[in-house]
Amino acid sequence: MPENLDALDARLLLLLTDSPRLGVLECARRLGVARGTVQARLDRLTERGILGGFPPELDLAAMGYGLTAFAVLEIAQGRRAEVAEALSAIDEVCEVHATTGQGDLFVRMVARGNDDLQRVIDEVVGVPDVLRTSTSIALSTPVPPRVRPLLERTARA
């Protein structure tokens, strides 16, 4: 059973979420703890797999990929690993989740426009062992991916 985050872990992660380029010393100053405490917490969060790195937040629309779509894929039984590997070779495929329910895989993909989306869907459908797809285009993202509320609740504890 993994350990839960404590309030200091959550405050540190909130700080790094807001300002990912902060150094350990500045984090320690803002949190009111010793530098060694921050470093030890970062090391522990990394070892536990909670903190995986500090990638920049990218706006895909600003990069020219203004269309986001989601596809539910039905695949041949027992072929999840092979299909996932083939999907990972398609640059516009951003995420793939194995799911329960109607389909087997849930795929988030991006495209430059409708014609480009058709090309991406054709690539996805061309993956061996993909039997059927159902694609929906995202019109907006009223709630973007987030973890802040979970961290804030833990920080208040």
Side-chain angles (χ1 to χ4, degrees):
M1 181 102 172
E3 298 175 44
N4 289 327
L5 294 178
D6 67 15
L8 181 58
D9 290 334
R11 289 176 41 223
L12 175 58
L13 290 171
L14 281 168
L15 186 60
L16 291 171
T17 297
D18 291 340
S19 304
R21 296 174 64 169
L22 285 181
V24 173
L25 191 58
E26 182 59 18
C27 287
R29 187 189 69 72
R30 291 187 188 188
L31 293 171
V33 298
R35 180 194 180 289
T37 300
V38 169
Q39 188 63 60
R41 295 291 180 122
L42 288 172
D43 291 345
R44 193 178 83 238
L45 290 168
T46 301
E47 287 169 12
R48 290 173 52 198
I50 294 170
L51 181 60
F54 299 94
E57 183 178 322
L58 302 176
D59 184 333
L60 291 171
M63 293 172 53
Y65 294 94
L67 197 149
T68 298
F70 299 91
V72 176
L73 277 56
E74 292 180 25
I75 63 172
Q77 283 190 325
R79 306 301 293 179
R80 181 178 41 84
E82 294 83 357
V83 172
E85 184 178 341
L87 291 172
S88 72
I90 301 171
D91 295 341
E92 293 83 1
V93 170
C94 298
E95 295 177 63
V96 177
H97 300 269
T99 60
T100 62
Q102 282 294 98
D104 302 302
L105 297 175
F106 187 73
V107 179
R108 181 172 69 96
M109 60 188 104
V110 295
R112 295 185 180 278
N114 289 341
D115 290 340
D116 193 40
L117 178 60
Q118 183 62 62
R119 178 192 57 78
V120 175
I121 291 170
D122 289 345
E123 284 189 50
V124 169
V125 171
V127 169
D129 298 312
V130 170
L131 305 176
R132 183 183 314 265
T133 66
S134 175
T135 304
S136 298
I137 295 174
L139 299 176
S140 67
T141 306
V143 180
R146 65 196 185 126
V147 294
R148 177 176 274 297
L150 299 171
L151 292 172
E152 287 174 343
R153 181 175 58 196
T154 302
R156 288 190 302 267

